[in-house]
Amino acid sequence: MTSAPTTIPPETAAGRPRGGVRVRRPGRGPRPGRARRIALPYLLLLPALLLELLIHLVPMVMGVLMSFRKLTQFFIRDWSRAPWTGFDNYDLAVDINRPVGRALLDSFVTTCLFTFLSVALCWLLGTAAAVFTQHSFRGRGFLRALFFVPYALPAYAAVITWAFMFQRDNGLVNHVIHDQLGLGGAEHTFWLIGDNSFWAMLTVSVWRSWPFAFLIVTAALQNIPKDLYEAAALDGAGVWQQIRRITLPSLGAVNQVLVLVLFLWTFNDFNTPFLLFGRSAPAAADLVSIHIYQASFVTWNFGAGSAMSVLLLLFLLLVTAGYLLLTGRSRKDADAL
């Protein structure tokens, strides 16, 4: 018994839908509309990418080129005419037996101490405030909004306000400490000169940066299941044990990124010392950023200032790479356990 020959509908043979399924001809490429949809996101990102390269990459390359030249005030009009010095600017910056290298080393040590204290205090205050406001209570929304005020204020307005508060004769800080509380004697303290300038700068830096840590840790705490705390409470764990055994381990990955971001922000901080002390910061508050500014725009040695900037960039790259390598390895070891 022979069956009737099967005929293929013409719409199927033409590659049109059959039963709701599109049949693609062999060797047929993607349609032009699909290619446009794939390329559209990259075309939209292209202007932003070009602007980023123009704003960041071009000045960076020019700075590297300037670091190999003896660029002083005599060659400002046409810096390409400045004599080529090779690595002389780098030798001048790292030679601690000469005044320039010794001053840069002292500034580097001050910056490391300042960064360590600022990052530690910001993380501690931010984490404590986030844990304190983790559970709902009356007035929590207002308290959280109050905590965000230093972070929401413009940097210039905030630091200039602190500069007025640290004034010796008319500042609010001395008025409260000496006049209201009677601490430190009747003689007002100089906060913006001498050794006290370091602590004044640290206070402003922590006040401006700790709300960022509070924001990040608060967001991370929302991802910790409440069942863990309830189970720990049923097992008799107190508040401090819950923080030690549940909260801090759960914040490990977030804290790694948070500490790195705070480190980079603080180590490169220029606004705080510049607005507090002006163009010439005291020796106790001579951060690397303001030191490079002084070397470039005060002493007019742009070649040496560019070399210092390149050295700072290399240092931050090495620290960031080493930090990511160590934290990534520790995270793998923790996952393996």
Side-chain angles (χ1 to χ4, degrees):
M1 182 177 180
T2 60
S3 58
T6 303
T7 59
I8 301 177
E11 61 274 11
T12 301
R16 294 178 181 175
R18 179 179 60 186
V21 179
R22 176 177 291 277
V23 179
R24 180 177 292 177
R25 292 179 179 178
R28 186 176 180 181
R31 298 183 62 181
R34 183 182 178 187
R36 283 195 296 268
R37 287 196 301 271
I38 295 175
L40 180 60
Y42 299 98
L43 293 177
L44 294 176
L45 290 175
L46 185 60
L49 179 61
L50 293 177
L51 287 176
E52 284 290 328
L53 293 177
L54 182 64
I55 294 173
H56 294 285
L57 187 60
V58 173
M60 188 181 302
V61 173
M62 293 181 63
V64 173
L65 294 177
M66 289 180 183
S67 67
F68 294 103
R69 296 178 179 270
K70 189 178 181 180
L71 183 57
T72 60
Q73 67 268 31
F74 303 106
F75 301 97
I76 294 299
R77 177 171 294 183
D78 186 6
W79 66 271
S80 61
R81 293 176 52 248
W84 186 269
T85 60
F87 289 94
D88 290 348
N89 290 324
Y90 292 93
D91 294 337
L92 180 67
V94 300
D95 189 359
I96 61 175
N97 294 321
R98 289 191 282 183
V100 175
R102 192 180 310 112
L104 181 61
L105 178 61
D106 294 338
S107 176
F108 176 77
V109 173
T110 301
T111 307
C112 290
L113 179 61
F114 168 76
T115 303
F116 173 78
L117 293 176
S118 179
V119 172
L121 291 174
C122 288
W123 177 85
L124 182 62
L125 292 176
T127 303
V131 172
F132 176 73
T133 59
Q134 180 181 10
H135 302 290
S136 179
F137 58 88
R138 191 171 186 179
R140 184 181 69 164
F142 172 77
L143 192 61
R144 282 181 169 179
L146 188 64
F147 286 164
F148 286 129
V149 169
Y151 188 68
L153 286 176
Y156 276 65
V159 179
I160 290 175
T161 302
W162 273 102
F164 280 108
M165 293 172 61
F166 279 124
Q167 292 295 322
R168 178 181 181 270
D169 298 325
N170 304 319
L172 179 63
V173 175
N174 278 336
H175 176 70
V176 172
I177 294 177
H178 296 277
D179 301 337
Q180 298 295 327
L181 300 178
L183 301 176
E187 189 70 20
H188 285 190
T189 304
F190 288 97
W191 290 104
L192 299 180
I193 60 175
D195 295 337
N196 291 327
S197 59
F198 178 86
W199 304 108
M201 182 176 60
L202 179 64
T203 301
V204 178
S205 176
V206 173
W207 183 84
R208 287 185 54 232
S209 302
W210 81 266
F212 175 75
F214 168 68
L215 174 65
I216 299 301
V217 176
T218 299
L221 289 176
Q222 310 305 314
N223 296 325
I224 301 177
K226 295 183 179 180
D227 298 342
L228 296 177
Y229 294 101
E230 295 175 358
L234 292 176
D235 291 339
V239 176
W240 294 111
Q241 289 180 333
Q242 293 179 21
I243 294 175
R244 222 175 109 203
R245 302 292 183 181
I246 299 176
T247 304
L248 293 180
S250 301
L251 295 175
V254 174
N255 282 331
Q256 290 174 359
V257 179
L258 175 61
V259 169
L260 179 60
V261 172
L262 289 175
F263 166 78
L264 294 176
W265 282 0
T266 308
F267 208 95
N268 284 315
D269 190 10
F270 174 80
N271 292 331
T272 301
F274 183 77
L275 294 175
L276 279 179
F277 312 113
R279 300 177 64 182
S280 298
D286 185 24
L287 300 184
V288 169
S289 58
I290 198 72
H291 187 86
I292 294 175
Y293 171 81
Q294 292 173 359
S296 300
F297 296 96
V298 176
T299 62
W300 297 95
N301 194 344
F302 292 97
S306 299
M308 295 176 188
S309 299
V310 174
L311 292 175
L312 175 61
L313 175 62
L314 293 177
F315 171 76
L316 294 177
L317 288 176
L318 289 175
V319 172
T320 302
Y323 179 83
L324 294 176
L325 182 62
L326 291 177
T327 54
R329 184 174 300 175
S330 62
R331 192 182 302 118
K332 289 182 181 179
D333 294 340
D335 295 339
L337 294 177

